Amino acid sequence: LLNDCKEDSDLTHSYLYRHQFDITDFLDQKKLLSQELYIIGTGGNFRRLLKIANQMNRKNSRVESSNLSPSILPQIRFEMQTRSIKDRMLDFALKKDQAEVIIPALHIIEMLVDIIPVQSIIVPKASLVDGMLKELCQSNFNENSQLIHPLF
């Protein structure tokens, strides 16, 4: 959902807004609203947000988490919105394109966690592409095949 393009971000936000009741109806029909729900966040925006959250929490804890708490998202957004793109790049070690899209990405993620009662956002070190490649390899090769890949 989170593309690194402002127009795509606006379209995604608009889509989520229009379909928020469809999403909650689906979750209700599947009886998922009464369960603990988690989002798996893959990609650069999620990894960057996790890194920033861990930096902000480092004052309170020495352990870095691989989970992103939805409750810290408004605080991260505030920190981002009060800085220029250049300051975001300097203060949070962001590349220019990351500094430009991080706030729209945060808006979309916050909207999603407002619609879905999310316990936590899990940010794996492996990407979605890594998982797809692993699945393809497992389904197309037998146990005797030699695969060389850091995930396997």
Side-chain angles (χ1 to χ4, degrees):
L1 287 176
L2 302 179
N3 295 316
D4 291 343
C5 176
K6 175 83 171 98
E7 295 83 24
D8 288 343
S9 175
D10 290 342
L11 287 173
T12 304
H13 187 273
S14 174
Y15 178 86
L16 285 174
Y17 182 77
R18 284 193 322 271
H19 294 282
Q20 62 185 328
F21 298 111
D22 296 335
I23 294 168
T24 53
D25 285 347
F26 171 80
L27 294 171
D28 189 39
Q29 288 173 6
K30 300 292 181 184
K31 310 228 183 298
L32 295 173
L33 288 177
S34 61
Q35 298 180 21
E36 287 186 0
L37 299 176
Y38 298 86
I39 291 177
I40 298 176
T42 63
N45 286 324
F46 282 106
R47 283 193 300 275
R48 181 57 57 189
L49 290 172
L50 177 65
K51 187 173 184 177
I52 292 167
N54 282 332
Q55 288 172 346
M56 294 170 89
N57 287 332
R58 200 170 285 146
K59 299 170 192 168
N60 303 327
S61 171
R62 293 179 186 224
V63 178
E64 291 205 357
S65 174
S66 61
N67 292 352
L68 183 60
S69 172
S71 64
I72 198 168
L73 296 176
Q75 184 181 353
I76 294 173
R77 184 174 34 81
F78 175 79
E79 294 295 328
M80 294 292 162
Q81 287 177 325
T82 59
R83 290 170 168 79
S84 67
I85 290 174
K86 187 175 181 179
D87 288 339
R88 281 182 236 150
M89 291 169 62
L90 294 172
D91 296 346
F92 298 103
L94 298 173
K95 296 177 187 168
K96 186 175 190 290
D97 62 324
Q98 293 171 323
E100 292 172 344
V101 301
I102 197 81
I103 293 173
L106 268 164
H107 281 292
I108 293 168
I109 295 166
E110 285 182 291
M111 186 172 194
L112 195 57
V113 299
D114 284 344
I115 295 170
I116 302 170
V118 174
Q119 184 76 21
S120 183
I121 301 168
I122 300 165
V123 184
K125 290 185 181 178
S127 71
L128 182 60
V129 172
D130 291 329
M132 292 170 63
L133 285 172
K134 182 177 181 182
E135 181 68 29
L136 276 170
C137 289
Q138 287 176 338
S139 64
N140 290 301
F141 295 98
N142 62 36
E143 292 176 14
N144 299 327
S145 298
Q146 293 282 335
L147 294 176
I148 301 172
H149 189 281
L151 286 179
F152 312 135

